[in-house]
Amino acid sequence: MAAQTGSQAVERASALLGLIVESGAPRTFSSLVDELGLAKSTTSRLLQALERSRLVYRDRTGAFRPGALFSLHAARPSALHDLSELARPTMEHLSELSRETVNLAVPRGGQLVSIDQVDSCYLVGATNWVGVDVPAHCTASGKVLYAYGALPRPTGQLERRTAHSPVDRAQLEHALVEVRRRGWAASLDELEIGLTAVAAPVRTVDGSVVAAVSVSGPTSRINDYGITRLGDVLVAELRGLSALLGHQPGRKEGFA
Amino acid sequence: MAAQTGSQAVERASALLGLIVESGAPRTFSSLVDELGLAKSTTSRLLQALERSRLVYRDRTGAFRPGALFSLHAARPSALHDLSELARPTMEHLSELSRETVNLAVPRGGQLVSIDQVDSCYLVGATNWVGVDVPAHCTASGKVLYAYGALPRPTGQLERRTAHSPVDRAQLEHALVEVRRRGWAASLDELEIGLTAVAAPVRTVDGSVVAAVSVSGPTSRINDYGITRLGDVLVAELRGLSALLGHQPGRKEGFA
DNA sequence: AACTCGGGTTCCATAATGTGAAACTTTGGA
DNA sequence: TCCAAAGTTTCACATTATGGAACCCGAGTT
């Protein structure tokens, strides 16, 4: 189906592993067989290989569960289970896709702050955002956090950073409606002329939004990539990240 | 080398995964190549497959790290990081090897108590030990815990359960020296006539012993398997389990 | 700039390895 | 006891993995 080149056996085995690990509950052999649609024999062999390698094991009932290697990783004191550690792989991936700067932002004290960043590989556009507080209303991540109630609405005057900054409350609210509709937010030249960002939400187990991930770069390059396309990619990738946080994709995606 | 039948590609890929996950530090491509001794091309393809499946990812520096699936598992609230959960795979494995009852025992209130058990597949020998306190000096696990200082020496009279129970303190101490020398302990008919057990220590990150795993069954069957052989198997397997707890095999294996 | 060294990926012919249908075994139910 | 379901092993076939060599790319060097 989605094989690029090369190792089909490994990919199939990995798919099995994925199913076993992702669904917290023990997976039965037959459920795996017809979920992947492989022959019983093939499935059996692959699972045996995984079992030999201690990547899965069969519990008492004969169902498959994540094996010792997973426990090992989980037990590592160094395996920071915090957000930025979890998000790293996804962010690296997004960085490769877009080749632009990727940021992970969370609300802090009524503003938003980036807690992790993967730099663009271009020279232009690789400023550091980690730790610097920026006005949320003119960033893509900020809009996401506003839209889904992760950040309380700003009080007082909305700062005008550029001619494009939204300073009118009604205008902002209108934008937020749009964000919720599409699932992602954009900010074109609103914080700084020539700087565009696209962001989407990261949800936790109860469906609430806890962070936003943004991709940002020169307006021209982002436009080349396509804002909508980028938004959709972000949403898709972050759905995966949300799953890591325990968010069940099926569930209501309410906004606080 | 140690392939039974079937899927070599998967096993090789798994071996790579193992190296990447086990050594907490990021692994470089070439280190993987010459550690496994596979062709560069093969290694490259396998790693690409693993990367596509999000089982590993390349960080900024190009080194390989455990991928999203591992984070996912680590983040699971259900992923009990406690001892018995961690030990399960190993215990199941031992159960299959020996086909006897496997117990995980920890010290509690000066005695020892089993906190998890995998039953033998034989009818004879499958009693439940979980939760029942037994006199430590006539069990294999107890001797292990004594030997490595996980359990303070017993006070008062040593209970005589059978004619083979060690009731003499000097005799016990002598046995403990032997335990430390070999790395495992045995108990033949000491708790109950006809019941033999072999046990070895589980170490945690600082090298101290926190638990013992024992294999026990009818003296005759255990003898058939070979006490020494069983002891060695236990030591080897538990070395792996100890690694899960962060114990660096190289480190000093001091006994408290 | 041109040259080269080392790490890494891609190509390619070869055959070894993985594949699925079906036969077989085992388990559990009625 | 007989049957159905669940899983494993067998087997003939060709798809798929393999490793050597060629290639690529970036970082030093002259």
Side-chain angles (χ1 to χ4, degrees):
Chain A
M1 308 225 146
Q4 312 234 131
T5 173
S7 336
Q8 129 182 135
V10 175
E11 299 222 333
R12 287 172 163 186
S14 301
L16 284 170
L17 240 194
L19 287 177
I20 292 168
V21 175
E22 269 164 27
S23 61
R27 295 296 304 244
T28 143
F29 177 82
S30 23
S31 87
L32 292 171
V33 168
D34 40 39
E35 187 130 352
L36 274 196
L38 297 177
K40 283 196 298 180
S41 51
T42 305
T43 310
S44 179
R45 255 177 301 107
L46 292 177
L47 284 172
Q48 283 174 28
L50 290 176
E51 202 175 358
R52 258 177 265 132
S53 314
R54 306 290 195 84
L55 280 167
V56 304
Y57 77 97
R58 296 182 145 218
D59 64 11
R60 206 91 292 240
T61 79
F64 289 94
R65 307 197 46 191
L69 258 200
F70 288 90
S71 308
L72 167 57
H73 183 75
R76 273 277 152 62
S78 69
L80 308 179
H81 302 155
D82 66 2
L83 191 56
S84 55
E85 184 71 16
L86 268 174
R88 261 277 147 179
T90 308
M91 290 174 68
E92 301 259 6
H93 190 63
L94 283 168
S95 161
E96 272 154 38
L97 285 180
S98 66
R99 313 190 57 80
E100 297 292 349
T101 304
V102 179
N103 268 277
L104 173 66
V106 295
R108 175 141 80 199
Q111 289 207 302
L112 99 166
V113 58
S114 166
I115 59 172
D116 198 13
Q117 171 168 329
V118 177
D119 289 330
S120 158
C121 44
Y122 295 113
L123 291 170
V124 178
T127 354
N128 175 42
W129 292 102
V130 176
V132 272
D133 290 316
V134 288
H137 66 282
C138 32
T139 67
S141 291
K143 288 186 202 167
V144 166
L145 296 183
Y146 281 144
Y148 295 100
L151 201 57
R153 292 295 186 279
T155 59
Q157 191 65 35
L158 298 180
E159 187 184 356
R160 157 166 268 135
R161 278 300 187 93
T162 75
H164 299 82
S165 304
V167 289
D168 178 4
R169 300 199 111 74
Q171 185 186 355
L172 178 59
E173 283 306 327
H174 188 265
L176 298 186
V177 171
E178 185 63 6
V179 169
R180 283 191 290 264
R181 201 183 57 71
R182 297 185 303 206
W184 52 271
S187 140
L188 292 85
D189 303 328
E190 294 173 21
L191 182 63
E192 203 177 299
I193 292 293
L195 177 67
T196 289
V198 179
V202 179
R203 294 167 190 282
T204 187
V205 61
D206 60 357
S208 63
V209 170
V210 293
V213 169
S214 67
V215 173
S216 55
T219 303
S220 54
R221 281 208 308 260
I222 300 281
N223 269 326
D224 287 352
Y225 192 95
I227 297 216
T228 309
R229 181 176 158 216
L230 193 49
D232 291 341
V233 167
L234 263 170
V235 168
E237 290 294 329
L238 296 188
R239 207 182 304 266
L241 175 54
S242 296
L244 294 193
L245 294 171
H247 177 58
Q248 303 289 341
R251 278 202 210 162
K252 178 167 186 309
E253 301 198 334
F255 26 95
Chain B
M1 307 239 147
Q4 312 232 132
T5 173
S7 332
Q8 133 184 131
V10 175
E11 299 220 334
R12 287 171 162 189
S14 301
L16 284 170
L17 242 192
L19 288 178
I20 292 167
V21 175
E22 269 162 29
S23 62
R27 295 297 304 245
T28 142
F29 176 83
S30 22
S31 86
L32 293 170
V33 167
D34 41 39
E35 186 130 352
L36 274 195
L38 297 178
K40 282 196 299 177
S41 49
T42 305
T43 310
S44 179
R45 255 178 299 108
L46 293 177
L47 284 172
Q48 282 174 28
L50 290 175
E51 204 175 358
R52 258 177 264 133
S53 314
R54 306 289 193 86
L55 280 166
V56 304
Y57 77 97
R58 300 184 138 211
D59 66 9
R60 206 91 289 239
T61 80
F64 290 92
R65 306 196 47 190
L69 258 199
F70 287 90
S71 307
L72 167 57
H73 182 74
R76 272 277 151 64
S78 70
L80 308 180
H81 301 156
D82 65 4
L83 192 57
S84 55
E85 183 71 15
L86 268 175
R88 261 277 146 180
T90 307
M91 291 175 67
E92 301 260 6
H93 189 63
L94 283 167
S95 162
E96 271 153 40
L97 284 180
S98 65
R99 313 190 57 82
E100 297 292 351
T101 303
V102 180
N103 268 278
L104 173 66
V106 295
R108 174 143 78 200
Q111 289 208 302
L112 99 166
V113 57
S114 166
I115 59 172
D116 198 12
Q117 173 168 327
V118 176
D119 289 330
S120 158
C121 45
Y122 296 113
L123 291 171
V124 180
T127 354
N128 175 41
W129 292 101
V130 176
V132 274
D133 288 318
V134 289
H137 67 280
C138 32
T139 66
S141 290
K143 287 187 202 165
V144 166
L145 296 183
Y146 281 143
Y148 295 99
L151 201 57
R153 293 292 186 281
T155 60
Q157 190 66 34
L158 297 179
E159 186 183 357
R160 157 165 268 136
R161 278 299 187 95
T162 74
H164 299 82
S165 304
V167 289
D168 178 5
R169 300 200 109 73
Q171 185 186 354
L172 179 59
E173 284 305 328
H174 188 265
L176 298 187
V177 170
E178 184 64 6
V179 169
R180 283 191 289 264
R181 201 184 55 74
R182 297 184 304 204
W184 51 270
S187 141
L188 291 86
D189 304 328
E190 293 174 22
L191 182 63
E192 200 178 298
I193 292 292
L195 177 67
T196 288
V198 179
V202 178
R203 295 170 189 281
T204 187
V205 61
D206 60 357
S208 64
V209 171
V210 292
V213 168
S214 66
V215 173
S216 57
T219 302
S220 55
R221 281 208 308 260
I222 299 282
N223 270 327
D224 286 353
Y225 191 96
I227 296 215
T228 309
R229 180 176 159 215
L230 193 49
D232 291 340
V233 167
L234 263 171
V235 169
E237 289 293 328
L238 296 188
R239 206 181 304 266
L241 175 54
S242 295
L244 294 194
L245 294 171
H247 177 58
Q248 303 289 340
R251 278 203 211 161
K252 178 168 189 309
E253 301 200 333
F255 26 94

